[in-house]
Amino acid sequence: VVQTGPQIIRDSKVQSEEIHNSINGMGQHARTAFASVDGVEHYVIVARKTLLKPGMNLEELGHVLLETGIFVGNLNVVNFDGGSSTSLYLKDHPELSFHSGRKILPLLLGVK
């Protein structure tokens, strides 16, 4: 079971109405999202919260992802979760891992 929603970007367009109608879409939090480009390339995205930046709302995240130019093709992004449960652990490169300071929960993500 994975907590998701709302969709941040659908067909390369930020879903402002869906974000504004969600419970925490406009809050400033750390964020975890899943992105798909043309249904072929898949990415897990983590937007950190720092002392200088209190996090970001989902509308901001959507615009940042579109403006970077990193994703070429039809982009779709869905929000996974945010706040203190946001984490990413890389077994082979733990120095690149991000977590909120609490114990990192195990995560299994399968992509086909």
Side-chain angles (χ1 to χ4, degrees):
V1 176
V2 177
Q3 177 180 341
T4 65
Q7 191 159 2
I8 302 169
I9 298 173
R10 183 179 301 122
D11 296 325
S12 300
K13 294 182 182 111
V14 175
Q15 299 302 296
S16 296
E17 184 175 351
E18 190 171 337
I19 291 167
H20 285 267
N21 289 330
S22 67
I23 293 173
N24 292 314
M26 294 307 292
Q28 299 292 314
H29 305 289
R31 302 290 184 171
T32 308
F34 179 77
S36 176
V37 180
D38 294 330
V40 178
E41 298 176 11
H42 307 285
Y43 303 88
V44 174
I45 297 165
V46 175
R48 293 179 31 173
K49 179 178 181 177
T50 67
L51 291 174
L52 299 176
K53 177 109 173 106
M56 61 180 18
N57 67 51
L58 295 178
E59 194 169 32
E60 282 179 295
L61 179 58
H63 289 293
V64 167
L65 292 174
L66 288 174
E67 291 166 4
T68 62
I70 293 172
F71 304 104
V72 178
N74 187 31
L75 179 63
N76 290 284
V77 180
V78 66
N79 182 53
F80 266 169
D81 203 358
S84 61
S85 62
T86 298
S87 64
L88 179 65
Y89 178 74
L90 303 170
K91 180 180 175 184
D92 294 335
H93 298 282
E95 72 279 5
L96 299 176
S97 298
F98 166 74
H99 60 86
S100 66
R102 298 187 313 179
K103 184 176 179 180
I104 297 175
L105 300 174
L107 169 70
L108 175 62
L109 177 66
V111 179
K112 181 176 181 183

